[in-house]
Amino acid sequence: MDALAALGAFREATDLVQEATTRVREVWAELLAALHDLLRRARLWRSEDAVARLLAAEIDASAAAVDALVARLRPGIEAELGTLAETANRAVPVFTLFDTAIDLAGAAGHLAGLSAEMTGRGDLEAWSGAARESYDRRVREQITAADVAAEEAAATSRWLTEIGTAGAAYVTKVGHRGAELVNRLAEAAVQAVEAAPAELARIVTTLDRLEMAMREE
């Protein structure tokens, strides 16, 4: 992968991380709001419905479990947001690295072109002697210097591109992990919005699975 292609991949990865950072914040807030409303509805149902009053202990236990799971989930969510934000911030200097790699690749091409242009210069049949030999020697030295400089610039460009490509792989991994978290949070939020008060225990199971998935990452 050349520097331009690697830069494009890195830019996509960085965009993914930035989008995931925003969406995790938004969907986490939506989930908290949905859970708050569900708990409010469950407590209201418990106080107003005769059947629900018979299930008061189960409702209270589920409500307490929801609160406990939210408390356990919060540090993990904040840690993931920190990782996403830090990854996005650290991406800034990598763009400079790619710019340098691209510039060096261009310089390598230019130097290689100079070498080709100098080859055969001074091929004047009527010119001979010490001055001609001195001139030819200097041309050869300049061609060698241009070739060496071109190879060094190209090698440095490749090295910088490899470093940037490795960075892009890491940023992509972080972005995909953030996107997966967004999906899980969004699914839990939808369930909480749609759940009836009597389904509070099901939401406990959903949150428990969410916490387990985050611990495994």
Side-chain angles (χ1 to χ4, degrees):
M1 182 181 296
D2 63 20
L4 277 174
L7 174 60
F10 186 77
R11 196 180 301 281
E12 289 181 4
T14 303
D15 289 345
L16 177 62
V17 167
Q18 292 173 338
E19 181 180 359
T21 304
T22 300
R23 289 296 295 147
V24 167
R25 286 197 183 97
E26 292 175 347
V27 180
W28 173 239
E30 292 170 4
L31 174 58
L32 292 178
L35 291 173
H36 178 77
D37 182 66
L38 177 58
L39 291 176
R40 179 192 61 78
R41 290 186 285 118
R43 293 184 178 111
L44 182 63
W45 177 59
R46 174 186 182 279
S47 66
E48 295 182 350
D49 189 278
V51 175
R53 283 195 290 272
L54 297 175
L55 302 172
E58 289 83 350
I59 295 171
D60 290 345
S62 294
V66 168
D67 288 335
L69 282 163
V70 167
R72 294 203 299 269
L73 283 167
R74 192 182 300 277
I77 299 295
E78 292 175 352
E80 187 64 25
L81 282 170
T83 299
L84 287 165
E86 183 179 4
T87 301
N89 290 336
R90 289 187 175 184
V92 174
V94 180
F95 282 111
T96 302
L97 182 149
F98 276 119
D99 289 338
T100 302
I102 292 168
D103 289 342
L104 284 171
H110 178 65
L111 288 167
L114 287 178
S115 173
E117 288 180 6
M118 285 187 289
T119 301
R121 288 291 179 90
D123 188 17
L124 303 174
E125 295 181 0
W127 189 18
S128 62
R132 171 63 186 270
E133 291 176 2
S134 175
Y135 176 81
D136 286 345
R137 184 174 62 255
R138 287 185 176 275
V139 169
R140 288 193 297 271
E141 291 173 350
Q142 291 170 349
I143 290 173
T144 299
D147 288 342
V148 170
E151 180 54 36
E152 289 180 349
T156 304
S157 174
R158 290 192 296 271
W159 178 66
L160 292 175
T161 301
E162 288 172 2
I163 294 174
T165 301
Y170 171 76
V171 173
T172 299
K173 180 179 178 180
V174 172
H176 285 162
R177 192 175 66 199
E180 290 173 1
L181 178 57
V182 168
N183 291 337
R184 293 192 187 105
L185 292 173
E187 181 180 356
V190 169
Q191 288 185 24
V193 168
E194 296 178 348
E199 297 177 298
L200 191 57
R202 182 168 65 88
I203 300 303
V204 172
T205 300
T206 297
L207 295 178
D208 188 58
R209 289 174 179 169
L210 175 59
E211 184 200 15
M212 185 179 301
M214 291 187 65
R215 283 203 311 265
E216 292 174 351
E217 290 183 345

